[in-house]
Amino acid sequence: MKNPVALVTGASRGIGRGTALELAGAGFDVVVNYAGNESAARQTASDCVARAAVIGRNIRAKICQADVGVSADRKRLVGFSRESFGDIDLLVNNAGVAPAVRADILEAGEESFDRMISINVKGPYFLTQLVAKAMIERADQGSSGASPCRAKIVTISSLSAYTASVNRGDYCVSKAALSMLTPLFAARLAEFGIGVFEIRPGIIATDMTGPVKEKYDRLIGDGLTPIKRWGTPEDIGKAVVAIATDAFPFSTGEVINVDGGFHLRTL
Ligand code: NAP
């Protein structure tokens, strides 16, 4: 039987890599998208195949360079995925960037703002549009694809969607905007049997948070999160697998916090 197919953006490193590995372990073929780090992408792809083999599953993983912020790249990425594996059962909008320099909102410039909007918002928005159309085309042809589950679109946002960090306002604004993607596409795609979800990670140990590791070590130690540890890419990957394998069959448009309880208000 054919494996279900997942397209994971930004899967060469960090949360995307952890998600690709968990999906491989659940029997998905994986398209490992990356921006520039080809060797990391190759490593993820071969680790995916090895991860599945451990549990006796035979999956395929292929890499594809594409900048999600560039229209032509998004089209090429979807074309590559369909030519390589056929129908896409799951899109994970994970690729995203933090500002190169954290700057006070009274000083921060437009260049970084435009970069955040292009990669963190416009990229996933229009990639979702492309993949959704391909999923609808398949539904119209009466094919349910390889997966016995509903097709899914999962977007990785951030606690920054609702938390004000005044030294990276551009990132916060981009993640707040990204959070509207899920209700919009969930409402539009339900009639085609496509489930749309947002995962909101907390503080996760990746290259992105490397530069602020000591600060966050201290904050977590001081009780910032009820669950007193860093999150891992695997924590996010497990949540994606739960959604992808239909653990929430009567839900769509949901936000799932994977943040050690950061979002809780306590008194
Ligand atoms: P990361 O370690 O910096 O990895 C970023 C990944 O995205 C890499 O695979 C990178 O590819 C890829 N990428 C960057 N720009 C891209 C572009 N324009 N087109 C395609 N791929 C691109 O980041 P991360 O911490 O795993 O974060 C992943 C997502 O989770 C982001 O959306 C981030 O905002 C979000 N998030 C992270 C945290 C956290 O604490 N780490 C918390 C909340 C949300 P290359 O390897 O080729 O550069």
Side-chain angles (χ1 to χ4, degrees), residues 9-17 32-38 40-41 64-70 73 77 93-98 115 118-120 156-160 168 171 174-175 178 199-210 216 230-231 233 236 258:
T9 67
S12 45
R13 294 180 288 121
I15 291 171
R17 172 183 154 82
V32 175
N33 160 249
Y34 67 103
N37 196 335
E38 184 180 332
C64 183
Q65 188 284 328
D67 180 341
V68 296
V70 174
D73 282 22
L77 176 59
N93 284 314
N94 164 75
V97 287
R115 179 168 172 259
S118 170
I119 296 173
N120 295 354
I156 310 298
S157 65
S158 171
L159 55 76
S160 297
R168 49 176 182 147
Y171 182 76
S174 75
K175 291 296 181 177
L178 179 63
I199 291 179
R200 220 170 251 181
I203 300 170
I204 311 296
T206 68
D207 293 344
M208 185 180 276
T209 45
Y216 287 160
W230 282 75
I236 309 298
V258 185

Side-chain angles (χ1 to χ4, degrees), residues 214-227:
E214 280 176 22
K215 176 185 167 188
Y216 287 160
D217 277 345
R218 202 171 49 249
L219 289 171
I220 292 167
D222 289 346
L224 178 72
T225 51
I227 300 175

